[in-house]
Amino acid sequence: MASCSVALFFAESFFFPKKCIFSVSMCIVATTLVFICLAWLIYRRKQKFRSGFWRAYSADQSNEEVLKRCGSLAPQRYKYSELKKITKSFKEKLGEGGYGVVFKGSLRDGRIVAVKLLKSSKGNGEDFVNEVMSISQTSHINIVNLLGYCLEGSKRALVYEYMPNGSLEKHIYSEQLVIGWEMLLKIAIGIARGLEYLHQGCNTRIIHFDIKPHNILLDNEFCPKISDFGLAKLCRLNGSILSTAEARGTVGFIAPEVFSRAFGAVSTKSDVYSYGMMLLEMIRGKTNMKGSADNSSEAFFPHLLYDHLAGDMQGCQVEDGTEEVSRKLTSVGLFCIQMAPDDRPSMSRVIEMLEKSASEFEMPPKPFLYSPFQSANASTFTTVTVSMSSSCT
């Protein structure tokens, strides 16, 4: 019995240290692995943060360089703190769009201005740089005047001349219409002249890509000014066709070739289509015309207008003595929204048409049935980005 106890004692003495050493070793290995994993996660997060920081920093530096290239044409640069003083801490809101909120402000010299504070945008601020670059290279009575900008970290803002009569949208969709038919014609001609300048008068041609009533501002004399150049492209054109793989716009006004290259190439004629749809919207807002119980499809309204134009415009319930203007705007609008870009007039031709008698017009072809609303399942105007499979040629 004693011999057995002694044997057990020596066996336990022999194996116990090995068990302890094994357990301690496993604990050390496990702890080491945990620390390695934690260190790796911390390292990856730091790398990700640094990468994001440097990407943002590089983007800001790139934007800075692009804006510097404006040279003497560059508008004044404001600090964000200065904008807060100008707007009294963004007290009076004038409006809000997809890209930012607009506030009323006052400069030191007493000039009233509109400050558009841009929302945090995706990407590297390309829309912001496009807007500053585009407007900096323009000088025309029908283009909004950019007075300054702010680029301070993530804070971006644009300072425009103040337009006391707001946007065209406010007037043509209002139940209390203060714009007569003759004034509507003058506004249409002014917008056309502004677009003609962008397409042909600038050193670098500009395609706006977002012509619609909301982006037309009216001064105290109702002189129209094209604004919101966030989607505009400074184009190096081969003839009149845009060399880019991406184009954008607003559903309801966007040209069909932007959705599909089957309709043709994206070009200055894409703005012509948007302009034509805008004219038809002006007619819609100015008349008591009703399509049907369900007239949400934008394909229906141009066809209805065409049918009235083929007969007489009294079906639109226009005022006495104004049928001439309504027929003119309708005809030009229908010519501009032809599906094939080559079938649309240039903006120079549009101006000629608007300045002559409606009796000299030929009947425009009936627009091909096309409804971006049906394809997008949208009941309201929304901004979309369409990336095409190949670049425009």
Side-chain angles (χ1 to χ4, degrees):
M1 193 72 172
S3 61
C4 289
S5 299
V6 171
L8 182 61
F9 171 77
F10 279 107
E12 289 179 352
S13 301
F14 178 78
F15 286 107
F16 180 72
K18 287 188 176 182
K19 289 182 179 179
C20 288
I21 293 171
F22 179 78
S23 299
V24 171
S25 299
M26 289 302 295
C27 288
I28 292 173
V29 170
T31 303
T32 303
L33 287 174
V34 169
F35 275 110
I36 290 174
C37 290
L38 287 174
W40 173 252
L41 289 174
I42 293 171
Y43 171 78
R44 290 292 296 173
R45 287 193 176 187
K46 284 185 176 180
Q47 287 293 100
K48 189 175 181 180
F49 172 78
R50 288 174 181 172
S51 177
F53 171 80
W54 284 111
R55 277 199 301 269
Y57 176 78
S58 298
D60 285 342
Q61 291 298 104
S62 177
N63 290 338
E64 294 276 0
E65 291 300 320
V66 170
L67 293 174
K68 284 180 181 178
R69 288 203 292 272
C70 292
S72 60
L73 295 175
Q76 183 176 344
R77 184 167 185 169
Y78 290 94
K79 294 180 180 179
Y80 185 74
S81 58
E82 292 178 305
L83 294 185
K84 291 186 71 174
K85 291 180 181 179
I86 290 171
T87 60
K88 296 181 180 179
S89 296
F90 306 105
K91 181 179 179 181
E92 185 176 352
K93 187 167 83 169
L94 296 174
E96 184 173 358
Y99 296 96
V101 185
V102 183
F103 298 92
K104 189 174 182 180
S106 179
L107 300 181
R108 290 181 180 179
D109 59 10
R111 281 183 296 170
I112 305 298
V113 295
V115 178
K116 183 167 76 171
L117 193 63
L118 274 66
K119 296 177 181 177
S120 298
S121 58
K122 296 179 181 179
N124 297 325
E126 180 185 355
D127 290 344
F128 173 78
V129 175
N130 278 343
E131 189 146 10
V132 176
M133 286 285 288
S134 299
I135 306 180
S136 295
Q137 298 192 30
T138 63
S139 178
H140 193 274
I141 190 173
N142 297 118
I143 305 295
V144 70
N145 187 21
L146 181 66
L147 303 176
Y149 70 97
C150 171
L151 177 57
E152 191 174 305
S154 62
K155 294 183 172 61
R156 300 182 177 103
L158 298 162
V159 182
Y160 294 107
E161 58 180 329
Y162 175 66
M163 296 287 109
N165 281 313
S167 72
L168 178 61
E169 178 184 50
K170 180 182 74 174
H171 295 278
I172 66 173
Y173 297 137
S174 172
E175 294 182 0
Q176 298 179 344
L177 296 170
V178 297
I179 299 178
W181 281 99
E182 290 299 329
M183 178 60 72
L184 209 62
L185 177 60
K186 290 180 180 179
I187 290 172
I189 293 173
I191 300 168
R193 286 176 176 159
L195 276 175
E196 180 194 36
Y197 169 78
L198 293 179
H199 294 171
Q200 299 179 359
C202 297
N203 293 330
T204 303
R205 297 181 187 181
I206 298 173
I207 298 180
H208 189 280
F209 274 123
D210 206 16
I211 295 297
K212 57 184 178 180
H214 179 78
N215 290 340
I216 305 301
L217 302 180
L218 304 171
D219 68 9
N220 59 333
E221 296 180 352
F222 287 92
C223 176
K225 312 268 186 177
I226 299 173
S227 69
D228 279 326
F229 283 69
L231 301 183
K233 295 293 182 183
L234 298 175
C235 309
R236 298 192 178 277
L237 297 170
N238 179 14
S240 62
I241 297 173
L242 177 63
S243 297
T244 182
E246 185 182 79
R248 297 173 285 182
T250 299
V251 173
F253 297 95
I254 192 170
E257 64 269 17
V258 177
F259 282 100
S260 172
R261 285 293 304 278
F263 290 102
V266 176
S267 68
T268 54
K269 294 295 184 71
S270 302
D271 276 351
V272 174
Y273 181 93
S274 301
Y275 174 83
M277 286 302 299
M278 185 181 64
L279 288 187
L280 299 186
E281 281 295 313
M282 291 162 72
I283 298 291
R284 183 211 291 269
K286 188 63 177 166
T287 64
N288 294 319
M289 190 175 189
K290 301 296 181 184
S292 66
D294 179 16
N295 63 349
S296 61
S297 171
E298 290 303 301
F300 178 80
F301 184 65
H303 284 191
L304 186 62
L305 266 179
Y306 177 88
D307 293 339
H308 281 291
L309 184 64
D312 62 70
M313 293 302 292
Q314 293 304 317
C316 296
Q317 300 181 28
V318 297
E319 302 162 11
D320 292 338
T322 59
E323 184 178 347
E324 165 81 10
V325 176
S326 62
R327 289 186 67 86
K328 186 184 296 187
L329 293 176
T330 302
S331 296
V332 173
L334 293 172
F335 272 119
C336 289
I337 65 167
Q338 297 300 309
M339 291 300 101
D342 289 342
D343 292 339
R344 302 170 203 153
S346 65
M347 291 313 304
S348 299
R349 177 61 180 152
V350 166
I351 295 171
E352 292 177 8
M353 295 167 72
L354 289 173
E355 291 180 338
K356 71 180 185 181
S357 171
S359 60
E360 302 177 51
F361 281 45
E362 297 178 0
M363 186 67 186
K366 190 170 185 176
F368 179 73
L369 183 63
Y370 165 71
S371 177
F373 279 91
Q374 292 174 350
S375 62
N377 293 322
S379 59
T380 57
F381 297 141
T382 54
T383 301
V384 298
T385 300
V386 179
S387 297
M388 292 174 285
S389 57
S390 60
S391 61
C392 303
T393 56

